[in-house]
Amino acid sequence: QVQLVESGGGLVQAGDSLRLSCAASGLTFSSYAVGWFRQVPGKEREFVAAMPRSAGSTRYADAVKGRFTISRDITKNTLYLQMNTLKPEDTAVYYCAAATFIGTITTGRSPYWGQGTQVTVSS
């Protein structure tokens, strides 16, 4: 059974940094495209960042480009999202996702999702 578990969320001030983690069991991140989404109550889930299974370009939403970095540690089977220079508009529940292809990730059609971790950025 596949399980993705996010952690690292919290309450921070604008300008601070946070690193989210997503630990996987039942699948190996090195064999999947992976990504992050976020959702604010009352709005649709929004793509944040993604990286392909193997060599290839990572993708970022324009709103986070230059501030957020997606990475993975295959030895720990863990996905990360380093978030710098956080803004109040980054406040959301953040979800990690995995799929065979990066296009499946970016369009929100991943078969595997975590339960989410809350990030709150105060002004």
Side-chain angles (χ1 to χ4, degrees), residues 4 22-24 27-34 72 74 77-79 97-98:
L4 305 180
C22 173
L27 66 78
T28 303
F29 271 149
S30 60
S31 299
Y32 285 82
V34 291
R72 62 184 155 200
I74 60 175
N77 205 28
T78 299
L79 175 68

Side-chain angles (χ1 to χ4, degrees), residues 3-9 18-25 27-30 32-37 47-53 58-60 69-83 94-99 102 105 110 112-114 117:
Q3 190 173 17
L4 305 180
V5 179
E6 301 95 337
S7 61
L18 269 180
R19 189 178 76 161
L20 305 183
S21 299
C22 173
S25 59
L27 66 78
T28 303
F29 271 149
S30 60
Y32 285 82
V34 291
W36 290 92
F37 276 72
F47 168 73
V48 174
M51 61 191 310
R53 284 180 292 178
T58 54
R59 303 182 189 180
Y60 295 94
T69 303
I70 185 173
S71 64
R72 62 184 155 200
D73 185 333
I74 60 175
T75 64
K76 297 180 179 179
N77 205 28
T78 299
L79 175 68
Y80 301 102
L81 184 68
Q82 177 66 44
M83 305 185 295
Y94 284 72
Y95 300 88
C96 61
I102 193 170
I105 295 279
S110 304
Y112 306 116
W113 293 89
T117 185

Side-chain angles (χ1 to χ4, degrees), residues 3 29 60 62 65 67-70 84 90 100 109-110:
Q3 190 173 17
F29 271 149
Y60 295 94
D62 288 343
K65 205 171 292 184
R67 299 188 297 121
F68 290 12
T69 303
I70 185 173
N84 298 329
D90 295 319
T100 303
R109 295 178 289 119
S110 304

